[in-house]
Every structure is written in structure tokens, then in C-alpha cells.
Amino acid sequence: PQYRRAARERSAAERRLNRRMQSRSEPFLSGADAARVRRVLYLNGMPAEEIEDAMQEIELRAIQRPPRGTSRGAWACAVATNLALDRGRRAARQRRHPLAEPRAWSEDTPGVELRDALRRGLDGLDATLRATIVLRFYADLTIAEIAATMDVPVGTVKSRLHRAVSELRALL
């Protein structure tokens, strides 16, 4: 009898989720927020071919557990950072080769060298330092929002930012 009750509860939860998905007529993120979340995913090491899947995962999580007490963009950046960190940990466990860099610009585009150097610098940082830098300078989250996102004190965010910038200077 207990397994039947669990199955009924699961099917009821699935029905509620389906109703929420069908009642949504517009995407969770606006164009600017969606672009910002894509940049957060990319800069945190997510391969280009996996970014759209991650965006769908973020939409699904927003439907399952809508954000409370924070802006949609900040919440989505936090989820994107966590997805990218999880993917990085999974890749490290499976001992994959380094991530392939997507080519969004042609090689004769001005600033390609700077972009490539910055990407190599970010790849050289520890995952938590990289996530902190990306959330602060690319997602434009405040230090308090980053602290809430990463579930660490504000002082930890400040010290990580300082250390990450110092390491980036040394790498670049």
C-alpha cells in the first residue's frame, strides 16, 4: 500500500507540473536576461552545444520551484552557475579532456586575442573563483546577491573577488 501512495503522490505532482507548464504563455526570462544567463553558462565553462539544454533546465526549475525574494535574472544566474559547476565536477570525475571553445566570432574580428586570453585566464581559475568573477562582472550581480546565490558570507565573496582578480592579473 505504501508504494501505491507514493505513486499517487508522484502522479499528482506530475499533473500539477503539467498544468503549470501549459498555463505559461511567455518564457521565464526576457531577452536581455536570457543573454546574460547564456554568458554566465559560457564563462563558467559550459560548452556551447550544452547551453540551450541548460537554458531549458533553468526554465523547468523555474516552473517547478519559482524564485522567491529575488529577481528572475539573479535567480537564473545562480541556477546557471550551479549547473555549470555541477557539469565541471562531473567532467572532472569522468576525466574528460578540457572543454572545447565555441567560435562565436571569426578570427579577424577585433578583440579576439583579448577574448581568448580572458577565456584562458578564467579556465585557469578555481571553479568557485571563476563563478564569483562571472557573477560579479558578467552577470552584474551585487556582492550581496552573489553571497546569497553561493550561500557564503559577504566577506567570503569579497575575498574571492580579490583573489580571483589577482590571479587573473598574474595569468594575463
Side-chain angles (χ1 to χ4, degrees):
Q2 189 173 10
Y3 70 89
R4 286 184 184 167
R5 182 175 42 176
R8 277 194 310 270
E9 289 172 3
R10 246 189 333 272
S11 65
E14 287 172 2
R15 283 193 303 274
R16 283 192 304 273
L17 178 61
N18 285 336
R19 278 195 301 270
R20 275 192 233 151
M21 288 175 71
Q22 290 170 356
S23 69
R24 265 201 129 111
S25 61
E26 60 186 50
F28 174 70
L29 295 171
S30 68
D33 282 337
R36 185 169 67 160
V37 170
R38 282 184 179 88
R39 282 194 310 269
V40 167
L41 288 165
Y42 172 75
L43 291 169
N44 272 310
M46 181 79 66
E49 60 271 6
E50 294 180 25
I51 288 178
E52 287 308 313
D53 290 338
M55 292 297 291
Q56 289 180 3
E57 176 70 22
I58 292 167
E59 288 277 339
L60 182 61
R61 288 184 185 191
I63 292 168
Q64 290 173 334
R65 290 181 305 275
R68 293 187 179 114
T70 184
S71 72
R72 287 181 175 197
W75 179 88
C77 285
V79 173
T81 298
N82 290 333
L83 286 173
L85 291 174
D86 290 345
R87 189 212 172 276
R89 283 190 286 268
R90 224 177 7 262
R93 275 195 308 268
Q94 295 172 356
R95 297 181 184 179
R96 290 186 183 166
H97 295 359
L99 302 175
E101 182 172 338
R103 293 289 173 196
W105 296 283
S106 67
E107 291 304 317
D108 58 351
T109 304
V112 170
E113 298 83 21
L114 177 61
R115 184 205 66 212
D116 290 343
L118 185 57
R119 179 61 190 250
R120 283 190 304 275
L122 287 172
D123 285 344
L125 291 177
D126 176 66
T128 56
L129 295 179
R130 181 177 57 238
T132 306
I133 283 283
V134 169
L135 289 174
R136 179 67 184 113
F137 296 110
Y138 292 95
D140 291 326
L141 298 185
T142 65
I143 291 175
E145 288 174 325
I146 296 169
T149 296
M150 299 182 87
D151 198 27
V152 296
V154 169
T156 302
V157 172
K158 290 178 181 180
S159 66
R160 284 181 182 173
L161 281 171
H162 178 76
R163 198 166 114 218
V165 168
S166 297
E167 288 185 24
L168 272 177
R169 280 191 185 125
L171 291 169
L172 298 176

